Amino acid sequence: QVQLVESGGGLVQPGGSLRLSCVASGNIFSINVMGWYRQAPGKERELVASITSGGDTNYVDSVKSRFTISGDNAKDRVYLQMNSLKPEDTAVYYCNAKGRTVYYRPPYNSWGQGTQVTVSS
């Protein structure tokens, strides 16, 4: 129901900042939750941060006080502001959207292609 495209990744020094962006298209008003996941080499994909259509946010403990997830009023974009970056934040970051169009159809789970974030000196 929705398509997602991420941008904003890159190479930064430890302690630096990056802002990731995700643009959603399609039936964007069916989205209930958007979030950012990341996957480092040899590790499973983990949820980093999420935001509901009502504005409630959630973060994994390792990024609390450093990362901030936000959306815009049009509900077609979600951002991840990453501050005080650490080498262990290095991963491919994926945008995610979960929603439901009608009750008699199962919920959908959409993913972007991912954007690489590398934190290194």
Side-chain angles (χ1 to χ4, degrees):
Q1 290 294 312
V2 298
Q3 297 76 48
L4 307 172
V5 179
E6 307 99 331
S7 64
L11 173 65
V12 296
Q13 302 251 312
S17 298
L18 280 176
R19 190 191 191 200
L20 305 183
S21 298
C22 175
V23 180
S25 60
N27 191 2
I28 60 174
F29 293 104
S30 69
I31 298 172
N32 292 324
V33 183
M34 294 191 72
W36 289 94
Y37 290 71
R38 67 185 180 187
Q39 188 165 24
K43 296 186 177 182
E44 294 185 357
R45 187 176 299 184
E46 69 169 347
L47 174 65
V48 178
S50 64
I51 184 168
T52 70
S53 60
D56 296 324
T57 58
N58 189 41
Y59 301 90
V60 68
D61 286 344
S62 60
V63 308
K64 288 181 179 177
S65 301
R66 299 191 297 120
F67 292 9
T68 302
I69 188 170
S70 62
D72 66 6
N73 292 330
K75 297 184 178 181
D76 62 348
R77 284 172 171 81
V78 66
Y79 307 95
L80 186 67
Q81 179 66 48
M82 305 185 294
N83 298 324
S84 301
L85 283 161
K86 304 175 180 179
E88 49 263 46
D89 295 318
T90 297
V92 177
Y93 284 70
Y94 297 91
C95 185
N96 172 262
K98 296 180 175 66
R100 195 163 193 166
T101 53
V102 290
Y103 78 93
Y104 52 84
R105 292 185 181 272
Y108 63 81
N109 188 14
S110 298
W111 295 91
Q113 293 297 316
T115 184
Q116 177 71 48
V117 172
T118 302
V119 185
S120 177
S121 60

